[in-house]
Amino acid sequence: MQSVKNPQKVDVIRVVIVEDYKLTRIGLRYTLNEFEHIDVVGEAESGEEAIGIIKELKPDIVLMDLGLPGMNGLEATIHVKDAVPDTKIIMLTSHEREEEVLASLGSGAIGYCLKDVEPKVLSEVIRNVAKGACYIDPNVAKLALKLFPRPENTDLITQNNTSDLKSQLTEREFEVLKLLVQGKSNTEIAKELIVSVHTAKAHVCSILQKMCVDDRVQAAVKAIKEKMI
């Protein structure tokens, strides 16, 4: 269903809702269209349907349910980010498990909201994510702390010395790391740096190895925690 708002209105954020429960989709559409800065331009009830709609409409934001039938929200997010890298994805779900939060961020989503979020808060999350910010619901943000073990060395001088780790990265790898922190996918990194996706992947793999982490999410969190960025 197309929105009746003026598509030419300045600063209006175009949103697509991906949710398999019809009543939830209707409620989200009605609620979000009450905000002047949001225009719900499309809806989908499955990951497969979402990919086609998002390719066609190229919205600013996608609200993606995690537990979709068939192709789940993680798979759909990966396909969407490869096809429409400029579209930003917010997971809107009832799932709070650590693995699902990290997998969502690793797949290319840069927002993670629980479905009991207040409408006003969700509208502001959409506004901020559209501007490039990342968001994790406060109720699940604490899960990120599990990524880090208790420090073996409590010497503050040693703990604050991040220059050694930073110096291990090449200038280009540091540029890639900054984009990882922004939640960019390999396709987006390649576009930003004007390199091939294969080259972007190679830089990411090298960064993970040098930072001694397992995935891009851990690299981004470690870079922030140790104030490398």
Side-chain angles (χ1 to χ4, degrees), residues 132-195:
C134 297
Y135 178 85
I136 302 179
D137 191 292
N139 291 314
V140 297
K142 62 182 180 293
L143 296 176
L145 296 177
K146 296 181 180 180
L147 291 171
F148 303 105
R150 180 178 296 179
E152 296 181 2
N153 190 327
T154 56
D155 183 347
L156 290 179
I157 296 177
T158 301
Q159 291 297 322
N160 288 329
N161 184 9
T162 61
S163 60
D164 289 343
L165 179 57
K166 185 174 179 180
S167 66
Q168 292 180 37
L169 303 180
T170 66
E171 183 176 345
R172 178 47 60 92
E173 287 171 348
F174 187 65
E175 292 177 342
V176 172
L177 179 60
K178 289 191 289 186
L179 295 174
L180 284 181
V181 170
Q182 295 173 28
K184 303 285 187 181
S185 67
N186 288 338
T187 301
E188 291 174 306
I189 291 171
K191 181 179 178 181
E192 183 93 10
L193 301 181
I194 316 178
V195 297

Side-chain angles (χ1 to χ4, degrees), residues 4-70:
V4 297
K5 288 186 181 181
N6 182 356
Q8 301 301 318
K9 185 174 179 178
V10 177
D11 295 329
V12 168
I13 302 165
R14 301 170 66 253
V15 175
V16 164
I17 298 169
V18 185
E19 166 63 55
D20 57 320
Y21 287 103
K22 185 175 181 179
L23 285 178
T24 303
R25 286 201 312 276
I26 293 172
L28 280 171
R29 183 202 334 135
Y30 178 82
T31 298
L32 292 177
N33 275 334
E34 290 295 303
F35 295 96
E36 288 299 317
H37 65 283
I38 296 175
D39 186 10
V40 177
V41 296
E43 302 169 17
E45 62 181 18
S46 69
E48 292 86 352
E49 182 185 16
I51 294 169
I53 290 175
I54 295 166
K55 283 183 179 179
E56 177 185 353
L57 297 178
K58 296 180 174 58
D60 304 301
I61 295 288
V62 172
L63 292 181
M64 180 77 73
D65 184 24
L66 188 58
L68 297 170

Side-chain angles (χ1 to χ4, degrees), residues 37-109:
H37 65 283
I38 296 175
D39 186 10
V40 177
V41 296
E43 302 169 17
E45 62 181 18
S46 69
E48 292 86 352
E49 182 185 16
I51 294 169
I53 290 175
I54 295 166
K55 283 183 179 179
E56 177 185 353
L57 297 178
K58 296 180 174 58
D60 304 301
I61 295 288
V62 172
L63 292 181
M64 180 77 73
D65 184 24
L66 188 58
L68 297 170
M71 178 186 290
N72 63 39
L74 295 178
E75 296 174 282
T77 295
I78 292 171
H79 284 290
V80 167
K81 293 304 293 182
D82 284 340
V84 193
D86 290 338
T87 291
K88 297 177 175 64
I89 298 178
I90 299 171
M91 290 295 187
L92 186 61
T93 178
S94 59
H95 297 250
E96 298 184 56
R97 293 176 57 197
E98 175 186 0
E99 296 85 353
E100 291 163 338
V101 176
L102 298 181
S104 297
L105 299 177
S107 69

